[in-house]
């Protein structure tokens, strides 16, 4: 198990104390949840994955806030668990965590509500949509089964948790400002705490957040993601950004410019690949050439990332379906793309 950094305190210009608590959500991925004090009743942002020692690390982090920083707070004092978005490394730990925070209500955007309140339905429908995307992308049945088994929709779902509060864009909760930033997930929210932005997975210091085609979930897709980036860019006053992974961001507006440029380069690389191919390619063929050696969950991410870019370019007329007559005759036909 990789070592984790210690709990760290940040202070907003509105007097809210923000405690960053690290936890290991997967074997190869750590995350940060945030304990907010002086913003109404104690609030925890995100709940970890519940896998391994994730929940224990969060509880130990809360204890460190009490012992090392002198805050009179225990898990039972937490009154709200605010979920930035419904991916499993942020919500799967909720049932176990709430056994230690019995007075807390869960707050989440309605577009991600089913990931908490109707987990089995979310998994079944999510797997069906992913299967449909992979079929249209050109993945054979055996390959689709392997990818779905590696996806977040596979496995025994955790128990459902009741949602006590739904978050809407522009909500003000005891000085916390909610920004709905769809793209990485349908109901992703960032939280403004005075001059501090809690950016969830929407803006990370090093990594480009994973993109999903809109055919797998509404309000995902590169278009929604870039529009959400613009929303944050147009919101002045953030001097410090704390994300759910990676390092602190000191210039979120500069980071947004860097992310935009990186997406432009990725789109251009996809167009170059199609130009060099000498024939129209399916989404699966583009993914296999772009990420030739990935397997398991990383292959799921590769296919959906490429699918989001293909979708974005097709929506804007940069590429078109070359075998449209075949698709018209049989809607099971795999679409093959070429540069317009």
């Amino acid at each position: 198990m990789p070592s984790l950094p210690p709990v760290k305190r940040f202070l907003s210009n509105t007097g809210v104390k923000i405690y960053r608590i690290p936890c290991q959500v997967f074997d190869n991925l750590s995350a940060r949840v945030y304990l907010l004090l002086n913003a109404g009743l104690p609030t925890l942002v995100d709940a970890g994955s519940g896998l391994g020692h994730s929940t224990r690390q969060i509880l130990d982090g809360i204890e460190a806030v009490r012992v090392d920083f002198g805050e009179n707070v225990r898990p039972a004092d937490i009154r709200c668990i605010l979920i930035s978005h419904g991916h499993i490394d942020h919500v799967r730990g909720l049932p176990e965590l709430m056994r230690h925070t019995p007075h807390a209500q869960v707050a989440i955007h309605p577009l991600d509500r089913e990931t908490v309140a109707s987990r089995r339905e979310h998994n079944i429908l999510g797997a069906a949509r992913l299967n449909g995307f992979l079929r249209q992308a050109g993945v054979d049945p055996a390959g689709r089964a392997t990818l779905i088994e590696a996806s977040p929709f596979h496995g025994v779902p955790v128990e459902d948790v009741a949602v006590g509060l739904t978050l809407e864009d522009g909500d003000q909760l005891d000085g916390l400002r909610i920004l709905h930033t769809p793209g990485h997930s349908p109901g992703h929210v960032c939280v403004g705490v005075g001059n501090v932005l809690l950016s969830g997975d929407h803006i990370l210091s090093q990594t480009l957040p994973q993109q999903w085609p809109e055919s797998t979930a509404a309000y995902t897709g590169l278009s929604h993601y870039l529009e959400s980036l613009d929303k944050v860019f147009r919101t002045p006053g953030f001097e410090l950004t704390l994300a759910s992974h990676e390092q602190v961001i000191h210039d979120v507006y500069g980071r947004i410019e860097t992310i935009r440029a990186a997406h432009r380069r990725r789109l251009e690389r996809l167009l170059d690949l199609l130009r060099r191919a000498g024939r129209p390619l399916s989404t699966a063929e583009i993914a296999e050439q772009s990420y030739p050696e990935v397997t398991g969950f990383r292959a799921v991410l590769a296919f959906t990332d490429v699918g989001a870019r293909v979708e974005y370019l097709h929506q804007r007329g940069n590429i078109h379906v070359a075998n449209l007559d075949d698709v018209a005759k049989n809607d099971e036909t795999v679409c093959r793309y070429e540069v317009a």
Side-chain angles (χ1 to χ4, degrees):
M1 181 75 65
S3 61
L4 294 170
V7 173
K8 185 170 181 178
R9 179 172 62 189
F10 302 87
L11 184 66
S12 79
N13 62 355
T14 54
V16 177
K17 288 182 279 189
I18 305 168
Y19 288 93
R20 185 180 66 186
I21 299 173
C23 60
Q24 198 72 28
V25 288
F26 302 130
D27 287 344
N28 60 350
L29 182 67
S30 66
R32 285 88 177 98
V33 304
Y34 293 93
L35 177 63
L36 309 182
L37 302 178
N38 292 352
L41 296 171
T43 294
L44 192 68
V45 179
D46 287 334
S49 67
L51 301 173
H53 301 288
S54 175
T55 302
R56 173 46 51 192
Q57 289 164 340
I58 293 171
L59 296 172
D60 288 347
I62 296 171
E63 179 65 5
V65 171
R66 187 182 71 84
V67 173
D68 299 339
F69 294 90
E71 300 285 2
N72 185 25
V73 62
R74 298 178 186 272
D77 299 318
I78 292 171
R79 292 299 191 270
C80 180
I81 301 178
L82 190 159
I83 301 298
S84 66
H85 63 293
H87 290 170
I88 60 173
D89 51 325
H90 298 257
V91 302
R92 197 179 185 278
L94 261 175
E96 183 182 358
L97 186 61
M98 291 196 72
R99 284 187 263 277
H100 299 271
T101 59
H103 307 297
Q105 67 172 346
V106 174
I108 192 169
H109 192 278
L111 291 177
D112 275 8
R113 183 184 182 278
E114 70 173 22
T115 67
V116 170
S118 305
R119 191 73 203 182
R120 181 171 180 268
E121 180 177 341
H122 170 74
N123 285 358
I124 291 172
L125 296 180
R129 288 190 292 262
L130 179 61
N131 183 65
F133 158 72
L134 293 171
R135 181 194 60 76
Q136 190 176 60
V139 182
D140 62 43
R144 296 203 300 270
T146 298
L147 290 169
I148 290 169
E149 185 174 350
S151 78
F153 306 115
H154 182 74
V156 178
V158 296
E159 62 197 80
D160 292 344
V161 174
V163 171
L165 178 66
T166 53
L167 304 171
E168 299 287 355
D169 187 51
D171 281 353
Q172 297 277 348
L173 307 173
D174 294 316
L176 307 180
R177 177 171 39 159
I178 303 301
L179 298 174
H180 180 213
T181 49
H184 180 64
S185 86
H188 191 290
V189 298
C190 294
V191 182
V193 190
N195 62 334
V196 179
L197 178 69
L198 303 182
S199 65
D201 283 6
H202 181 54
I203 303 169
L204 305 176
S205 64
Q206 295 176 308
T207 305
L208 294 187
Q210 173 68 23
Q211 298 302 303
W212 309 82
E214 291 183 63
S215 58
T216 64
Y219 292 92
T220 58
L222 189 52
S223 290
H224 286 298
Y225 177 74
L226 293 175
E227 289 168 2
S228 295
L229 273 186
D230 290 342
K231 177 186 286 188
V232 176
F233 191 81
R234 295 192 306 268
T235 306
F238 295 127
E239 299 175 3
L240 190 71
T241 296
L242 306 175
S244 295
H245 309 277
E246 303 179 354
Q247 291 77 38
V248 172
I249 301 170
H250 294 280
D251 176 12
V252 71
Y253 306 103
R255 177 60 184 154
I256 288 171
E257 294 281 21
T258 300
I259 292 172
R260 286 172 176 158
H263 276 296
R264 288 194 293 269
R265 290 193 298 271
R266 285 191 176 190
L267 292 167
E268 191 54 47
R269 282 199 297 269
L270 194 155
L271 291 171
D272 285 343
L273 189 156
L274 284 174
R275 293 186 188 104
R276 295 194 307 268
R279 62 180 178 85
L281 299 177
S282 68
T283 299
E285 290 170 326
I286 297 169
E288 288 160 359
Q289 292 187 38
S290 301
Y291 302 99
E293 297 181 357
V294 295
T295 59
F297 181 55
R298 292 188 179 275
V300 177
L301 299 182
F303 273 88
T304 51
D305 175 77
V306 167
R309 280 184 274 154
V310 168
E311 177 184 81
Y312 180 88
L313 290 169
H314 184 253
Q315 287 170 340
R316 280 153 182 75
N318 300 110
I319 62 177
H320 65 83
V321 177
N323 60 332
L324 199 57
D325 290 341
D326 294 333
V327 174
K329 295 173 185 175
N330 182 359
D331 61 9
E332 296 288 316
T333 301
V334 173
C335 292
R336 300 185 180 279
Y337 297 92
E338 63 185 3
V339 177

